Amino acid sequence: MDALRNILVLMEPGSEVQPAFDAALTLARRFGARLELLMSDYQDLHAAYFAPPSATVQEFHDAVMSAHRAVLESYVRRAEEAGVPAICEALWGTPFHEIVLGRVAATQPDLVVKHSVHHNRIERTLFTGSDWHLIRECPVPLLMVKAAERLVGSKMLVCVDPLHAHDKPAALDHRLLRTAAFLAGPLAGEVHALHVFSIPTPVTVVGDAYIAAATVPPPEATVAAATAAFRQLMAVHSLPESRAHLKVGAPARDILAEVRELDAGLVIMGAVSRGRLDRWFVGNTAEAVLDRLACNVWVEKPRAG
């Protein structure tokens, strides 16, 4: 990313707090962007449950959308009072992710911002099906907000794969590091990079059962190649050795451990495109990590073509 001009903010119907708005407002003020607030709702209820009972389905729909527009307009005023231009739209429809993706196609924002609820007790984020659709399919960068207040003055961890062992396009690592450098200045952040060289777990077959065998350390030459590629990538982006972290182990486990050790406020990860349908996937490692991260997560894809 080299510019942040238009931010699409996914607002939550019926919520008294809007962390996605808070995060987007911070970004807009620091990068000179404008906000586009979108609230989507759909309630398939029988007219007998409406108030008053004699109300028609259309009257119920109009009342719901009028209330949503009033909320959105209050947030537009808040943004304008902070010196940030903003517009808003309330849409009725389902499924949610298709409404959002349609809006992205229509207005071409530079970033989509959505709130995600993190539950520390069970170390899980309550990603909905629509969340996963957006994570995989949104064609522009997606910021999943878990702690809006931690966007400023925090460490940023960029997860890279310089050997492209997981079929990730070579240009994506450079793109992720450029995005981090772009964000770091205005957000007063400190960029760190992490590559976890994965040790595969061998599997043996006993009868009809698949049993994990003892983990075999990778050949020294392979680790050396990964180290050289990682150092070369860091040199290209002028990242000092003290902020370049190379691990040999289990990616999901070691990414989570590094985030905790650094107390990172933002993790920047890449997505890849696979298969005939050309759908976007963040990969097994990232999907195992995303719902365990307590910090904000930025998911970005390589440029088309």
Side-chain angles (χ1 to χ4, degrees), residues 34-58:
R34 77 163 191 163
L35 300 181
E36 178 185 352
L37 312 182
L38 175 65
M39 186 176 289
S40 174
D41 197 6
Y42 182 83
Q43 300 181 36
D44 189 11
L45 298 176
H46 190 276
Y49 296 103
F50 304 162
S54 60
T56 65
V57 173
Q58 185 62 47

Side-chain angles (χ1 to χ4, degrees), residues 29-286:
R29 294 183 65 181
R30 290 174 178 258
F31 290 90
R34 77 163 191 163
L35 300 181
E36 178 185 352
L37 312 182
L38 175 65
M39 186 176 289
S40 174
D41 197 6
Y42 182 83
Q43 300 181 36
D44 189 11
L45 298 176
H46 190 276
Y49 296 103
F50 304 162
S54 60
T56 65
V57 173
Q58 185 62 47
E59 288 171 335
F60 172 73
H61 166 275
D62 292 344
V64 169
M65 299 309 286
S66 176
H68 288 339
R69 281 190 288 270
V71 170
L72 288 173
E73 288 165 2
S74 71
Y75 278 94
V76 167
R77 290 192 294 271
R78 282 182 54 182
E80 292 175 342
E81 288 169 0
V84 174
I87 60 173
C88 64
E89 183 71 55
L91 297 177
W92 182 272
T94 189
F96 172 73
H97 70 277
E98 291 188 2
I99 300 296
V100 174
L101 292 173
R103 191 70 176 183
V104 170
T107 65
Q108 297 290 305
D110 299 304
L111 175 69
V112 175
V113 181
K114 187 182 187 304
H115 176 225
S116 297
V117 179
H118 183 78
H119 285 235
N120 291 326
R121 180 173 296 179
I122 58 175
E123 293 190 339
R124 288 291 187 277
T125 297
L126 299 183
F127 282 138
T128 65
S130 289
D131 288 340
W132 284 114
H133 276 294
L134 291 177
I135 290 168
R136 294 179 178 120
E137 299 175 34
C138 184
V140 302
L142 176 67
L143 175 61
M144 305 298 287
V145 177
K146 303 186 185 184
E149 70 282 358
R150 302 206 60 214
L151 277 179
V152 177
S154 295
K155 294 175 181 176
M156 304 175 177
L157 183 63
V158 186
C159 298
V160 298
D161 181 16
L163 291 182
H164 319 299
H166 305 290
D167 300 327
K168 187 164 56 174
L172 184 53
D173 283 339
H174 294 286
R175 183 167 173 80
L176 297 175
L177 288 163
R178 285 195 298 269
T179 290
F182 170 75
L183 295 172
L187 293 180
E190 181 179 273
V191 178
H192 290 248
L194 170 67
H195 171 49
V196 181
F197 182 83
S198 177
I199 301 178
T201 301
V203 175
T204 58
V205 179
V206 179
D208 294 328
Y210 290 85
I211 301 175
T215 299
V216 178
E220 291 185 8
T222 306
V223 177
T227 302
F230 181 64
R231 288 177 176 170
Q232 181 179 10
L233 180 65
M234 297 301 98
V236 169
H237 293 272
S238 303
L239 204 64
E241 187 176 342
S242 61
R243 290 192 268 132
H245 312 280
L246 176 64
K247 308 289 184 182
V248 178
R253 179 197 66 200
D254 291 337
I255 289 171
L256 291 167
E258 193 67 31
V259 169
R260 287 192 292 266
E261 184 175 340
L262 291 175
D263 191 26
L266 177 67
V267 169
I268 299 175
M269 309 184 84
V272 296
S273 176
R274 294 179 182 169
R276 294 181 179 179
L277 295 180
D278 199 35
R279 293 165 67 90
W280 293 102
F281 292 83
V282 290
N284 292 336
T285 295

